[in-house]
C-alpha cells in the first residue's frame, strides 16, 4: 500500500491532492489494483475505471500515460482548481512507475 500527496509547503500541511494505492503486480503485470484520490471532491474518489483498465496489463510508459488520462476523464473541477488534474496525473503515474 502506498500513500502520496501533493502539497505546497511542509509534510505536516494538508494535501492538496492525494492518492492511496494498492497495486499487486508480478513481473510488471498488474494482477489487481485499487486507487483512491483525496482532495478532488468532498469525499474520497475511487478510480474504478483505472483499476479495470490496468488489470492484467504489463506496465509500460504507454499504459501509464493512458492510465493518467483515464484517471482524470470524469473529473470536474471548479475553474480555480483545474491544476489538480495535472497533480492527479502525476500521482497515479508515480505510483505505477514505482511498480514498473
Amino acid at each position: 500500500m502506498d500513500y502520496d500527496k501533493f502539497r505546497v509547503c511542509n509534510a505536516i500541511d494538508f494535501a492538496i491532492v492525494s492518492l492511496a494505492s494498492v497495486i499487486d503486480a508480478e513481473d510488471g503485470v498488474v494482477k489487481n489494483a485499487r486507487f483512491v484520490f483525496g482532495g478532488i471532491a468532498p469525499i474520497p474518489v475511487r478510480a474504478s475505471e483505472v483499476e479495470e483498465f490496468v488489470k492484467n496489463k504489463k506496465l509500460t510508459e504507454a499504459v501509464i500515460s493512458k492510465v493518467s488520462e483515464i484517471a482524470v476523464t470524469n473529473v470536474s473541477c471548479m475553474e480555480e482548481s483545474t491544476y489538480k488534474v495535472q497533480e492527479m496525473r502525476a500521482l497515479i503515474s508515480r505510483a505505477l512507475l514505482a511498480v514498473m
Side-chain angles (χ1 to χ4, degrees):
M1 184 168 162
D2 188 39
Y3 176 78
D4 200 0
K5 64 182 178 178
F6 170 77
R7 62 199 182 286
V8 177
C9 297
N10 299 320
I12 59 172
D13 287 343
F14 291 103
I16 294 172
V17 178
S18 64
L19 174 67
S21 61
V22 177
I23 305 168
D24 178 20
E26 186 176 312
D27 297 325
V29 176
V30 176
K31 302 299 180 189
N32 204 3
R34 297 288 181 261
F35 302 100
V36 179
F37 284 101
I40 61 168
I43 60 172
V45 176
R46 186 158 171 196
S48 301
E49 298 89 7
V50 171
E51 295 169 1
E52 286 302 315
F53 176 80
V54 78
K55 193 171 186 177
N56 296 318
K57 286 201 172 46
K58 181 156 181 72
L59 291 178
T60 64
E61 288 185 23
V63 168
I64 292 172
S65 178
K66 180 67 175 173
V67 165
S68 72
E69 290 303 315
I70 293 170
V72 300
T73 299
N74 295 320
V75 173
S76 57
C77 292
M78 293 184 296
E79 188 175 324
E80 63 273 4
S81 298
T82 55
Y83 67 93
K84 290 185 177 187
V85 171
Q86 187 62 30
E87 297 309 325
M88 290 173 64
R89 286 185 181 129
L91 289 174
I92 203 158
S93 295
R94 190 166 34 198
L96 290 168
L97 284 168
V99 175
M100 198 168 133

